[in-house]
Amino acid sequence: MKSKLKLHGFNNLTKTLSFNIYDICYAETPEDQQAYVRYIDEEYDAQRLTQILTDVVDIIGANVLNIARQDYDPQGASVTILISEQPVEPTESQIEESPGPLPETILAHLDKSHITVHTYPEIHPVDGLATFRVDIDVSTCGVISPLKALNYLIHQFDSDIVTVDYRVRGFTRDVEGRKHFIDHEINSIQKYLSADTRAAYQMTDVNVYQENMFHTKMLLKDFDLDNYLFGDATRNLSGEQRKQVEERLRHEMLEIFYARNMPH
């Protein structure tokens, strides 16, 4: 175990984890498209999102100061939780570059944090493609990295595409006055993902080490069309229609993964 850094006062580093989760499906008729939006709004309403985030707060051993939540018309929801500062003595496993445990075993603590989540259900007006996006931000101040929350949060949603950004800002001083712009080793966000997650996704890194900026994007490897159909499309599509829908879905997923419009 490495010797602990002797700091002058409080650790002032701010560590921010931001990620987008996309769930894609196909709804053939306008009625099914509206039914899909209603389903998403009910499945991931502000109350459900609040429960997910408060579970995270319990897991990391923090205290809730305030919860603001809102469902929107016609669709979508937002939740913001402020968490109190709570100085703790972290264990080595809480700061090393490794996956955070899942909810059954997680023991991490954060000393100051806020967590936000916003949802964006969206239907393509022509192709019937439905893209449900969840934006999550976890920001901490102090020793512990919010990357330890990744495993729990990713497992709470059906995730076809995930983009993850991690940034360490500011600096902290040691007792000799030397500035430290990062206080833990990190080569890749992928090191914080569990083995089953890494095996399930195609992943690409874009990291700017000198700026303490790290980016990973993930695309689900397995594709079973039946997992992407909603409503009448689950039983009414012909073989040729299934092929066309699969091509549309794959195209949609690749455009989101590569963040650019691509020719059909």
Coordinates of all heavy atoms in Angstrom, one line a residue, residues 7 14 37 40 44 48 53 63 70 74 93 114 127-128 130 140 186 197 219-220 232 234 243 245-246 250-251 257:
L7 N -1.7 16.2 3.5 CA -2.3 17.4 2.9 C -2.2 18.6 3.9 O -2.2 18.4 5.1 CB -3.7 17.2 2.5 CG -3.9 16.1 1.4 CD1 -5.4 16.0 1.1 CD2 -3.1 16.5 0.1
T14 N -11.9 18.6 -7.2 CA -13.2 18.3 -7.6 C -13.2 17.3 -8.7 O -12.5 17.4 -9.7 CB -14.0 19.6 -8.1 OG1 -14.0 20.5 -7.0 CG2 -15.4 19.2 -8.6
V37 N -43.6 6.1 -24.9 CA -43.2 7.3 -24.1 C -43.9 7.2 -22.7 O -43.3 7.5 -21.7 CB -43.6 8.6 -24.8 CG1 -43.4 9.8 -23.9 CG2 -42.8 8.8 -26.1
I40 N -42.0 4.6 -20.6 CA -40.7 5.2 -20.1 C -41.0 6.1 -19.0 O -40.3 6.1 -17.9 CB -39.9 5.8 -21.2 CG1 -39.4 4.8 -22.2 CG2 -38.8 6.7 -20.7 CD1 -38.4 3.8 -21.5
Y44 N -39.4 5.2 -15.4 CA -38.3 6.1 -14.9 C -38.9 7.5 -14.6 O -38.4 8.5 -15.1 CB -37.2 6.2 -15.9 CG -36.5 4.8 -16.2 CD1 -36.8 4.1 -17.4 CD2 -35.7 4.3 -15.2 CE1 -36.2 2.9 -17.6 CE2 -35.1 3.0 -15.4 CZ -35.3 2.4 -16.6 OH -34.8 1.1 -16.8
R48 N -39.1 7.1 -9.2 CA -38.1 6.0 -9.4 C -36.7 6.5 -9.4 O -35.8 5.9 -8.8 CB -38.5 5.3 -10.7 CG -37.4 4.3 -11.1 CD -37.5 3.0 -10.4 NE -36.4 2.1 -10.7 CZ -36.3 1.4 -11.8 NH1 -37.2 1.4 -12.7 NH2 -35.2 0.6 -12.0
L53 N -31.2 7.3 -6.9 CA -30.1 8.2 -6.5 C -30.0 8.1 -4.9 O -28.9 8.2 -4.4 CB -30.4 9.6 -6.9 CG -30.4 9.9 -8.4 CD1 -30.3 11.4 -8.7 CD2 -29.2 9.2 -9.1
N63 N -25.0 11.9 3.5 CA -26.2 12.4 4.1 C -26.9 13.3 3.1 O -26.3 14.1 2.5 CB -26.0 13.1 5.4 CG -25.5 12.2 6.5 OD1 -26.0 11.1 6.7 ND2 -24.5 12.7 7.2
Q70 N -38.7 16.6 -10.4 CA -39.8 17.1 -11.3 C -40.0 16.2 -12.4 O -39.1 15.8 -13.1 CB -39.4 18.5 -11.8 CG -40.5 19.2 -12.6 CD -41.7 19.5 -11.8 OE1 -41.6 20.1 -10.8 NE2 -42.9 19.0 -12.3
P74 N -44.5 17.1 -22.0 CA -45.2 15.8 -22.2 C -44.4 14.6 -21.7 O -44.9 13.5 -21.5 CB -45.3 15.7 -23.7 CG -44.2 16.5 -24.3 CD -44.0 17.6 -23.3
S93 N -9.1 0.3 -1.3 CA -9.9 -0.2 -2.4 C -10.8 0.9 -2.9 O -11.3 0.9 -4.0 CB -10.8 -1.4 -1.9 OG -11.7 -1.0 -0.9
H114 N -22.8 16.0 -5.1 CA -24.1 16.2 -5.6 C -24.3 15.2 -6.7 O -23.4 14.9 -7.5 CB -24.4 17.7 -6.0 CG -23.8 18.1 -7.3 ND1 -22.6 18.8 -7.3 CD2 -24.1 17.9 -8.6 CE1 -22.2 19.1 -8.5 NE2 -23.1 18.5 -9.3
D127 N -39.3 7.3 -38.8 CA -38.8 5.9 -38.8 C -39.4 5.1 -37.6 O -39.2 3.8 -37.5 CB -37.3 5.8 -38.7 CG -36.7 6.2 -40.1 OD1 -37.5 6.1 -41.1 OD2 -35.5 6.5 -40.2
G128 N -40.0 5.7 -36.6 CA -40.5 4.9 -35.5 C -39.4 4.5 -34.5 O -39.7 3.7 -33.6
A130 N -37.2 4.9 -31.3 CA -37.4 5.5 -30.0 C -36.0 5.5 -29.3 O -35.4 4.5 -29.1 CB -38.4 4.8 -29.1
T140 N -17.9 15.0 -6.8 CA -17.4 14.9 -5.4 C -16.3 15.9 -5.2 O -15.6 16.3 -6.1 CB -16.9 13.5 -5.1 OG1 -15.7 13.3 -5.8 CG2 -17.9 12.4 -5.5
I186 N -5.1 6.8 -12.7 CA -6.1 6.4 -13.6 C -5.5 6.4 -15.0 O -4.9 7.3 -15.4 CB -7.3 7.3 -13.5 CG1 -8.3 6.9 -14.6 CG2 -7.0 8.8 -13.6 CD1 -9.7 7.6 -14.5
T197 N -19.4 -6.3 -17.6 CA -19.7 -5.1 -18.4 C -18.6 -4.9 -19.5 O -19.0 -4.6 -20.7 CB -19.7 -3.8 -17.5 OG1 -20.7 -4.0 -16.5 CG2 -20.0 -2.6 -18.4
L219 N -20.6 0.5 -26.7 CA -21.7 0.0 -27.6 C -21.9 -1.5 -27.3 O -21.0 -2.3 -27.4 CB -21.3 0.2 -29.1 CG -22.3 -0.3 -30.1 CD1 -23.6 0.5 -30.1 CD2 -21.7 -0.2 -31.5
L220 N -23.1 -1.8 -27.0 CA -23.5 -3.2 -26.7 C -23.2 -4.1 -27.9 O -23.5 -3.8 -29.0 CB -25.0 -3.3 -26.3 CG -25.4 -4.6 -25.6 CD1 -24.8 -4.7 -24.3 CD2 -27.0 -4.5 -25.5
D232 N -47.0 -3.5 -31.3 CA -47.4 -4.4 -32.5 C -46.2 -4.9 -33.2 O -46.3 -6.0 -33.8 CB -48.3 -3.6 -33.4 CG -49.7 -3.3 -32.9 OD1 -50.1 -4.0 -31.8 OD2 -50.4 -2.5 -33.4
T234 N -43.8 -6.3 -32.2 CA -43.3 -7.6 -31.7 C -43.9 -8.8 -32.4 O -43.3 -9.9 -32.3 CB -43.5 -7.7 -30.2 OG1 -45.0 -7.6 -30.0 CG2 -42.9 -6.5 -29.4
K243 N -35.9 -7.2 -41.3 CA -34.5 -6.9 -41.8 C -34.4 -5.4 -41.9 O -33.3 -4.9 -41.5 CB -34.3 -7.6 -43.1 CG -33.0 -7.3 -43.7 CD -32.8 -8.0 -45.1 CE -31.4 -7.7 -45.7 NZ -31.3 -8.4 -47.0
V245 N -36.0 -3.0 -40.3 CA -36.0 -2.4 -38.9 C -34.6 -2.6 -38.2 O -34.1 -1.7 -37.6 CB -37.1 -3.0 -38.1 CG1 -37.0 -2.6 -36.6 CG2 -38.5 -2.5 -38.6
E246 N -34.1 -3.8 -38.4 CA -32.8 -4.1 -37.8 C -31.7 -3.2 -38.4 O -30.9 -2.6 -37.6 CB -32.4 -5.6 -38.0 CG -31.0 -5.9 -37.5 CD -30.7 -7.4 -37.6 OE1 -31.6 -8.2 -37.7 OE2 -29.5 -7.7 -37.5
R250 N -29.6 -0.6 -36.1 CA -28.1 -0.6 -36.0 C -27.5 0.7 -36.5 O -26.5 1.2 -35.9 CB -27.6 -1.7 -36.9 CG -27.9 -3.1 -36.3 CD -27.3 -4.2 -37.2 NE -27.4 -5.5 -36.7 CZ -26.6 -6.1 -35.8 NH1 -25.5 -5.4 -35.4 NH2 -26.8 -7.4 -35.5
H251 N -28.1 1.3 -37.5 CA -27.7 2.6 -38.0 C -27.8 3.7 -37.0 O -26.9 4.5 -36.8 CB -28.4 3.0 -39.3 CG -27.9 4.2 -40.0 ND1 -28.4 5.5 -39.7 CD2 -27.0 4.4 -40.9 CE1 -27.8 6.4 -40.4 NE2 -26.9 5.8 -41.2
F257 N -23.2 6.3 -31.2 CA -21.9 5.8 -30.7 C -20.7 6.7 -31.3 O -19.8 7.1 -30.6 CB -21.6 4.4 -31.1 CG -20.3 3.8 -30.6 CD1 -20.1 3.6 -29.2 CD2 -19.3 3.5 -31.5 CE1 -18.9 3.1 -28.8 CE2 -18.1 3.0 -31.0 CZ -17.9 2.8 -29.7

